[in-house]
């Protein structure tokens, strides 16, 4: 059994074949899926999906890309979503200085507000961090809340080490299967299985050999297999450990 710890399964991403996507996930032994919100609208849609399927859970938060597009009462709206027992995390939240779709000051403000919200609600965080680890660690340390996962990790060995020291889990996506990901593959070898999660980030970032196509939860196995190969351990071990870790972190 596997868990896809980070997917974006609003119906709009899978208009034509949503039930087939879920059937393929079941066939591939994907036991649970954590459906991640990025905007208030997507959080609402994602929660609707989670409420419709017993094996899908939801996470609510505002993505750094959308940090400058929220209404003044967005935290209250997130809090209202989080009252639903299917909501198991706050995310994805964080900082993205690579695309910088929202100004940095606004990203920093929204991230801190949502870390505080997670702390207040005692929920783990799904953190998006790209080219912004120093500021990310600074805010987490300022709030002093360290429960969660760095999702779709693409940082360095040092950044992984720091995240682990703070107590975070690290989640790997299909990026680890890409040919140009040698540096990241070295990070995979160093991160202990006890602190590792796997994810698709579907519909984005499909692993090899599906790269460039729409991603879906069933493909998380390809990432798990790559991790097993890199660590020279059985696929079954990766499945067991990452499933256990994901259930522990998100209390599934
Ligand atoms: Ni994502």
């Amino acid at each position: 059994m596997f868990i896809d710890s980070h997917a974006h399964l609003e119906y709009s991403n899978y208009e034509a074949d949503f039930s087939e996507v879920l059937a393929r996930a079941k066939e591939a032994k994907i036991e649970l899926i954590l459906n991640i919100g990025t905007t208030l609208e997507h959080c609402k849609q994602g929660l609707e999906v989670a409420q419709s399927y017993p094996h899908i859970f939801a996470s609510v938060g505002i993505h750094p890309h959308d940090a400058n597009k929220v209404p003044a009462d967005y935290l209250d709206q997130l809090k209202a979503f989080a009252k639903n027992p299917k909501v198991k995390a706050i995310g994805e939240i964080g900082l993205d200085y690579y695309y910088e779709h929202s100004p940095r000051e606004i990203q920093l403000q929204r991230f801190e507000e949502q870390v505080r919200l997670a702390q207040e609600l005692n929920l783990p965080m799904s953190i998006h961090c790209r080219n912004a680890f120093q500021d990310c660690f600074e805010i987490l340390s300022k709030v002093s809340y360290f429960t969660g996962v760095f999702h779709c990790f693409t940082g360095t060995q040092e950044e992984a080490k720091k995240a682990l020291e703070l107590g975070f889990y690290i989640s790997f996506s299909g990026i680890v299967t890409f040919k140009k990901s040698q540096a990241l593959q070295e990070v995979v070898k160093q991160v202990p299985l006890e602190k590792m999660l796997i994810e698709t980030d579907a519909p984005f970032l499909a692993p090899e050999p599906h790269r460039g196509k729409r991603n879906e939860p069933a493909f998380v196995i390809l990432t798990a297999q790559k991790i097993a190969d890199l660590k020279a351990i059985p696929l079954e071990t990766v499945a067991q450990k990452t499933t256990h870790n994901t259930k522990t972190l998100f209390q599934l």
Side-chain angles (χ1 to χ4, degrees):
M1 292 292 200
F2 299 85
I3 298 180
D4 184 353
S5 71
H6 189 115
H8 302 280
L9 296 186
E10 304 98 44
Y11 292 113
S12 54
N13 289 329
Y14 299 90
E15 245 163 295
D17 59 347
F18 194 72
S19 54
E20 284 91 337
V21 167
L22 292 189
R24 284 194 290 272
K26 197 175 174 194
E27 184 78 10
K29 295 193 163 61
I30 313 306
E31 182 187 1
L32 301 172
I33 301 167
L34 189 60
N35 199 14
I36 309 277
T38 54
T39 65
L40 288 172
E41 184 53 33
H42 286 161
C43 289
K44 184 167 171 274
Q45 290 175 25
L47 185 53
E48 277 166 19
V49 170
Q51 286 182 281
S52 306
Y53 299 92
H55 68 297
I56 302 181
F57 295 89
S59 174
V60 297
I62 305 298
H63 194 286
H65 288 348
D66 301 287
N68 61 347
K69 297 186 204 107
V70 290
D73 70 341
Y74 86 98
L75 285 169
D76 291 334
Q77 294 197 45
L78 290 178
K79 222 188 235 188
F81 289 139
K83 286 209 174 93
N84 190 302
K86 294 238 61 179
V87 172
K88 297 295 183 187
I90 297 297
E92 57 183 289
I93 60 174
L95 301 171
D96 192 315
Y97 294 170
Y98 181 79
Y99 286 111
E100 215 171 323
H101 287 331
S102 289
R104 288 186 187 194
E105 314 79 71
I106 310 233
Q107 290 191 41
L108 287 160
Q109 190 186 333
R110 295 287 171 267
F111 182 43
E112 184 176 338
E113 287 164 354
Q114 294 181 92
V115 174
R116 291 189 189 283
L117 177 69
Q119 185 180 42
E120 178 191 331
L121 299 175
N122 197 22
L123 284 171
M125 300 173 284
S126 184
I127 297 175
H128 172 111
C129 179
R130 192 144 182 218
N131 288 17
F133 278 94
Q134 199 181 329
D135 283 1
C136 210
F137 291 140
E138 238 167 70
I139 287 193
L140 293 163
S141 299
K142 183 177 164 193
V143 179
S144 192
Y145 189 62
F146 308 107
T147 307
V149 57
F150 277 86
H151 111 87
C152 194
F153 190 84
T154 52
T156 64
Q157 205 79 259
E158 288 307 304
E159 289 158 349
K161 200 168 158 241
K162 176 77 179 163
L164 292 168
E165 276 169 12
L166 290 174
F168 286 97
Y169 289 84
I170 290 180
S171 178
F172 293 106
S173 70
I175 292 177
V176 302
T177 69
F178 298 170
K179 286 177 188 70
K180 280 189 182 160
S181 297
Q182 287 100 336
L184 186 63
Q185 289 164 1
E186 290 306 311
V187 176
V188 171
K189 290 183 194 170
Q190 298 304 321
V191 171
L193 215 46
E194 285 66 29
K195 297 301 285 185
M196 195 184 285
L197 269 50
I198 51 173
E199 66 173 87
T200 56
D201 208 8
F204 316 107
L205 296 170
E208 296 286 1
H210 305 292
R211 190 173 180 182
K213 296 184 201 140
R214 185 192 65 178
N215 201 357
E216 61 178 69
F219 295 167
V220 81
I221 289 187
L222 296 161
T223 297
Q225 183 63 60
K226 184 70 189 183
I227 291 167
D229 294 346
L230 289 166
K231 286 188 167 293
I233 54 175
L235 176 62
E236 185 58 28
T237 309
V238 176
Q240 276 171 7
K241 294 274 190 185
T242 57
T243 295
H244 172 80
N245 297 342
T246 311
K247 285 182 176 175
T248 304
L249 174 62
F250 296 115
Q251 299 190 13
L252 303 177

